């Protein structure tokens, strides 16, 4: 071979090597980026070629998301959400370039790409049928979900409702208001979807895309006195609901020149039983006992209820936190659910559920089961214990206190006919001169609990003098009634 031919051969080998390297780079390194690139029209069409699995509740009886065959060669399947706004934050949306809620969290099952569905994919490939995903059934109680949404949305409130099965941790209700219609976000038109999304995202007052049940934390107010009471009773097992506690009209805060008053400056008589102080929601006794116990004991008790634990249900949950140790004055405020004490509505539902379940907190979950396209069961969630927050004896004491709140205290609006309801109100200050948050946590029937609820109504959305007893407790009443079938 003469010199020119050698040079040509070497050049060919080099170009071939570079070509192979480029193909390998594109296939192994850049493949995912190219597949998801918004300019990749083929990927865009492929996204809608899958007969995406349905999302249901009530053991498949209520359809929350479904795929509709359009017959179009480009965009074969449309995604529809028959129940719209009431379920939007849980179900989420399936958009041209993104997804949210269960649509995102369980996306690999829904689009059939999960390893559990490899045989099904092979069958679809051989038969030439459209690729079909698995169905996801949620734990939600559709009736209670709609009641909770109606109670919040129809009165113009901003807030959230979470209901749990105390014995399993199954999420029976998860509503966030204001909500949105997911249908405009699921059309196969990027410009249309972007316009709809940007309009929702631009609403910084109502924040309709925010899942207030798990996506943000809020001061829990007096509902947190339940955790403080649990710490007090667990710290000394000789204590009970009749233990006397200091209940001054105003409690001097160490290291400051201010005193902590009771709500609206009310008097709690100087001394009171724990039961009486909890029933009328005095501030000073709970601040006083917390300062006596110390930060570490309150934090330890909070952690036993799951506060501070990362959660995926499978939606990601923002961590709740009582704040850092900033001295006794700060601890006094923390003990009554103020200052840096910040909870999600889900977390406060877990507190109620833990007490209802004789002290054992169950891990919350949203997915009941996953079934294949042929109806065969792929996976079912098994209830899982998360922690023992308090002993059964202390849980019984706390239950007695919560029952008294509904019978004789600030939570009367949650009472149900022929059913014993346990509950606690909360009115959390937000900022000087601004309206308070309104809270209510509860469970029923107290003797054999079937449902635990947390209701949160955001500051300013229910009037300037909203209280948990007046605003949140009636919503809890309706949700518990719906779950119990009354």
């Amino acid at each position: 071979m003469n010199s020119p031919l050698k040079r040509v051969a070497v050049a060919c080998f080099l170009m071939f090597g570079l070509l192979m390297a480029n193909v390998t780079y594109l296939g192994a390194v850049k493949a995912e980026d190219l597949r998801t690139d918004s300019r990749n029209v083929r990927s865009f069409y492929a996204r809608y070629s899958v007969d995406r699995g349905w999302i249901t509740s009530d053991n498949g009886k209520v359809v929350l998301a479904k795929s509709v065959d359009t017959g179009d060669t480009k965009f074969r399947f449309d995604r529809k959400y028959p129940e719209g706004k009431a379920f939007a934050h849980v179900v989420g949306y399936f958009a041209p370039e993104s997804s949210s809620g269960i649509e995102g969290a369980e996306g690999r099952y829904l689009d059939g790409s999960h390893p559990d569905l490899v045989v099904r994919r092979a069958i679809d490939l051989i038969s030439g049928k459209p690729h079909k995903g698995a169905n996801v059934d949620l734990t939600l109680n559709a009736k209670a979900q709609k009641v909770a949404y109606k109670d919040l949305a129809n009165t113009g409130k901003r807030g959230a409702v979470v209901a749990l099965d105390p014995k399993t941790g199954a999420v029976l209700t998860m509503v966030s208001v204001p909500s949105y219609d997911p249908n405009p976000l699921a059309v196969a038109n990027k410009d249309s979807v972007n316009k709809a999304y940007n309009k929702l995202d631009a609403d910084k007052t109502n924040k309709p895309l925010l899942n207030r049940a798990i996506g943000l934390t809020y001061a829990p107010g007096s509902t947190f006195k339940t955790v403080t009471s649990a710490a007090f009773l667990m710290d000394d097992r000789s204590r009970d609901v009749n233990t006397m506690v200091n209940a001054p009209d105003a409690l001097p805060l160490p290291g400051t020149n201010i005193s902590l008053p009771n709500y609206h400056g009310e008097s709690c008589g100087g001394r009171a039983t724990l039961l009486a102080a909890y029933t009328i929601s005095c501030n000073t006794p709970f601040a006083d006992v917390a300062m006596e116990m110390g930060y570490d004991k309150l934090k330890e008790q909070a952690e036993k209820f799951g506060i501070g634990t990362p959660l995926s249900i499978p939606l990601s949950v923002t961590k709740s936190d009582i704040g850092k140790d900033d001295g006794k004055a700060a601890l006094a405020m923390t003990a009554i659910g103020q200052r840096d004490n910040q909870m999600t509505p889900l977390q406060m539902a877990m507190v109620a559920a833990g007490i209802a379940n004789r002290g054992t907190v169950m891990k919350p979950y949203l997915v009941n089961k996953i079934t294949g396209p042929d109806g065969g069961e792929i996976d079912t969630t098994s209830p899982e214990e998360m922690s023992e927050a308090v002993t059964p004896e202390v849980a019984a004491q706390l239950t007695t206190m919560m029952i008294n709140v509904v019978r004789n205290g600030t939570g009367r609006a949650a009472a149900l006919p022929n059913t014993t309801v346990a509950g606690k109100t909360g009115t959390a200050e937000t900022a000087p001169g601004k309206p308070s948050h309104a809270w209510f946590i509860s469970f029923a029937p107290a003797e054999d609990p079937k449902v635990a609820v947390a209701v949160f109504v955001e500051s300013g959305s229910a009037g300037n003098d909203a209280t948990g007893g007046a605003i949140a407790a009636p919503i809890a009443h309706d949700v518990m009634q719906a779950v119990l079938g009354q």
Side-chain angles (χ1 to χ4, degrees), residues 42 44-46 48-50 69-77:
R42 182 177 178 182
F44 184 36
Y45 292 157
Y48 292 90
S49 67
V50 176
D69 192 343
T70 66
D72 191 300
T73 56
K74 290 182 178 179
F75 304 109
R76 178 72 181 269
F77 293 98

Side-chain angles (χ1 to χ4, degrees), residues 364-385:
Y365 63 96
L366 265 168
V367 175
N368 174 34
K369 61 184 176 181
I370 298 173
T371 58
D374 58 356
E377 193 171 284
I378 295 174
D379 192 23
T380 300
T381 303
S382 297
E384 180 182 340
E385 290 187 7

Side-chain angles (χ1 to χ4, degrees), residues 340-427:
D340 294 334
N341 193 334
Q342 297 283 302
M343 302 288 135
T344 61
L346 171 62
Q347 178 59 69
M348 292 314 297
M350 290 168 62
V351 169
I355 296 166
N357 196 35
R358 304 183 73 243
T360 300
V361 179
M362 304 299 290
K363 184 178 179 181
Y365 63 96
L366 265 168
V367 175
N368 174 34
K369 61 184 176 181
I370 298 173
T371 58
D374 58 356
E377 193 171 284
I378 295 174
D379 192 23
T380 300
T381 303
S382 297
E384 180 182 340
E385 290 187 7
M386 189 171 173
S387 62
E388 183 183 88
V390 294
T391 64
E393 294 76 19
V394 168
Q397 297 280 344
L398 293 168
T399 298
T400 296
M401 293 161 60
M402 294 176 73
I403 290 172
N404 208 43
V405 169
V406 177
R407 284 180 175 169
N408 305 306
T410 54
R412 290 182 177 91
L416 293 170
N418 304 314
T419 302
T420 307
V421 176
K424 181 69 186 84
T425 55
T427 305

